[in-house]
Amino acid sequence: MTIITKDNFNDIIKNNKEVIIDFWAPWCTPCKALGPLIEEVSERYPNIVFGKVNVDEEPELANLFRVEGIPYVAKVVDQKLVDSFVGFNTEDYVEEFFARKTK
């Protein structure tokens, strides 16, 4: 798991084909439940870079992705946002999200 900030965001996106970003905040109860689930599932996908963005500390990144609710999970492939979901989801859903192929 990588902590993503405005300082390392461009390098992470440019240097990795597929990145999944978990936008969260420490006060967000659903974020606290979803975060460990996403980390667990991410271990099954070593080819995907997994990162976290604290929206309180990185509002510019939250604005860039137009995050209106958290947890917000974004999939970036070849530097483009290709998929996302908002809110807590089951392990099966998170697994399917990681595995989902995009154009």
Side-chain angles (χ1 to χ4, degrees), residues 14-98:
K14 287 179 184 175
N15 295 323
N16 296 284
K17 178 169 178 55
E18 191 166 348
V19 181
I20 290 184
I21 307 170
D22 176 16
F23 290 86
W24 71 287
W27 48 263
C28 168
T29 301
C31 298
K32 291 178 186 178
L34 184 63
L37 185 68
I38 291 175
E39 287 183 42
E40 179 183 321
V41 172
S42 73
E43 292 175 7
R44 299 178 213 149
Y45 294 86
N47 58 318
I48 300 174
V49 172
F50 167 63
K52 293 179 79 74
V53 173
N54 181 328
V55 297
D56 290 340
E57 295 176 357
E58 301 295 336
E60 298 92 348
L61 291 178
N63 287 336
L64 178 66
F65 281 81
R66 297 187 175 139
V67 175
E68 294 182 4
I70 55 174
Y72 175 83
V73 180
K75 182 184 284 189
V76 177
V77 177
D78 295 326
Q79 302 181 45
K80 295 182 181 121
L81 176 65
V82 296
D83 204 354
S84 65
F85 71 87
V86 178
F88 181 81
N89 276 291
T90 65
E91 182 174 352
D92 288 343
Y93 183 88
V94 172
E95 177 83 32
E96 188 272 330
F97 180 78
F98 268 79

